[in-house]
Amino acid sequence: MKKPLIMLTNDDGIRSPGLMAAAEAAAAYGELLIAAPAVQQTGMGRAFPRTKGSGIIEEMLMNVEGRDYRAYAVHGSPALAVAHGVMELSERKPDLCISGINYGENLGTTLTCSGTLGAAFEASSHGIPGIAVSAAVAYGKHRSEEFDVIDWKPAKTILRQFVEDVLIHGMPKGMDIWNINVPACIKEPFSYRITVHSRQNYFYFIKPEKRRFDKPYSLKAMQYVDVDSLEKNSDIYAVYVENKISVTPLSVDMTA
């Protein structure tokens, strides 16, 4: 009997320590297929940009728990990394896709911008269940290619639990993705709460000052939570207020 095939991807890029942490968490549960963007792709959602060099794939080796695995650096978005992984880098359909461990939370309505979630939704479109997992970092660090050293133990611990559950029991009916968010500085035992997706943004753009429109400009953003109106059963409330791991069941069905 073949071991389960677990695809690993992210939006921080193939060299992210978070991707290695996810691989270490998953290695005991099956064979690994590692396909991730060649460079930082935060905020790409499920985009399929057609840029110069798109689709180039570089093969490398990643040593995970003492074993060498082929890893593929895909020139393109997280969703493209998954698409290439499923369509041409794997001889069989993966049994599970793990996206992360991401630098920075994916909470509230901002998750539709997330490349981490975009990769998981792309996997879901191929009939592959997904787990998106993110670890809180200081705002501004989530787009950096100079990766901070953080404690991966809480995220790896909860990830192992859900990997095992999905591979044994599958996804609950009507569900496609578990979206896991781990607060910073969480203490053992690592408790989690099943949450709903908040309607707050979590990250908000700042209105620009007057500027020249013929010059490049990147909108700046800030983290903001309106605690008074925040849903107490939401992902943001669990992470931001309670300092608990949030686990949100998601579906590709966005019908109201």
Side-chain angles (χ1 to χ4, degrees), residues 100-250:
I101 300 168
N102 186 61
Y103 274 79
E105 310 92 312
N106 282 302
L107 300 168
T109 60
T110 54
L111 70 80
T112 55
C113 307
S114 165
T116 304
L117 269 299
F121 278 116
E122 175 60 23
S124 181
S125 76
H126 296 275
I128 302 166
I131 300 175
V133 56
S134 305
V137 295
Y139 183 72
K141 297 291 186 180
H142 60 297
R143 290 181 179 272
S144 174
E145 293 202 55
E146 295 180 1
F147 300 107
D148 280 2
V149 176
I150 68 174
D151 179 12
W152 299 110
K153 185 178 179 181
K156 289 169 71 172
T157 299
I158 192 72
L159 177 56
R160 287 190 187 100
Q161 183 174 337
F162 277 84
V163 167
E164 183 172 350
D165 186 73
V166 171
L167 292 177
I168 293 174
H169 302 293
M171 283 288 192
K173 187 176 180 180
M175 239 197 77
D176 299 292
I177 297 164
W178 286 114
N179 183 31
I180 301 173
N181 283 273
V182 181
C185 306
I186 189 171
K187 305 295 184 184
E188 292 187 75
F190 306 128
S191 61
Y192 73 88
R193 188 157 65 78
I194 302 296
T195 57
V196 301
H197 174 206
S198 175
R199 286 182 173 270
Q200 288 197 24
N201 248 345
Y202 197 65
F203 298 116
Y204 291 82
F205 284 125
I206 301 168
K207 182 177 176 62
E209 296 179 0
K210 189 173 181 180
R211 66 179 185 90
R212 290 181 54 175
F213 289 168
D214 60 344
K215 300 293 183 182
Y217 183 84
S218 293
L219 285 169
K220 297 175 176 59
M222 61 179 287
Q223 180 185 313
Y224 174 73
V225 175
D226 182 355
V227 176
D228 291 338
S229 65
L230 185 61
E231 312 94 326
K232 290 188 177 180
N233 61 344
S234 70
D235 51 358
I236 296 177
Y237 195 93
V239 173
Y240 185 84
V241 178
E242 297 180 319
N243 200 47
K244 288 185 178 179
I245 296 170
S246 166
V247 181
T248 310
L250 300 177

Side-chain angles (χ1 to χ4, degrees), residues 19-35:
L19 182 66
M20 176 60 77
E24 291 169 349
Y29 298 97
E31 296 296 325
L32 304 183
L33 169 63
I34 303 168

Side-chain angles (χ1 to χ4, degrees), residues 13-90:
I14 194 80
R15 292 172 178 80
S16 169
L19 182 66
M20 176 60 77
E24 291 169 349
Y29 298 97
E31 296 296 325
L32 304 183
L33 169 63
I34 303 168
V39 296
Q40 172 67 261
Q41 292 283 297
T42 290
M44 289 296 287
R46 197 186 159 196
F48 292 94
R50 298 290 187 252
T51 58
K52 185 178 180 180
S54 179
I56 293 173
I57 300 174
E58 301 174 50
E59 186 175 326
M60 58 185 68
L61 289 178
M62 284 181 63
N63 188 276
V64 182
E65 299 289 288
R67 177 179 170 185
D68 285 335
Y69 288 89
R70 285 190 180 90
Y72 300 93
V74 179
H75 288 247
S77 68
L80 274 173
V82 170
H84 284 288
V86 174
M87 303 303 296
E88 61 180 349
L89 299 176
S90 176

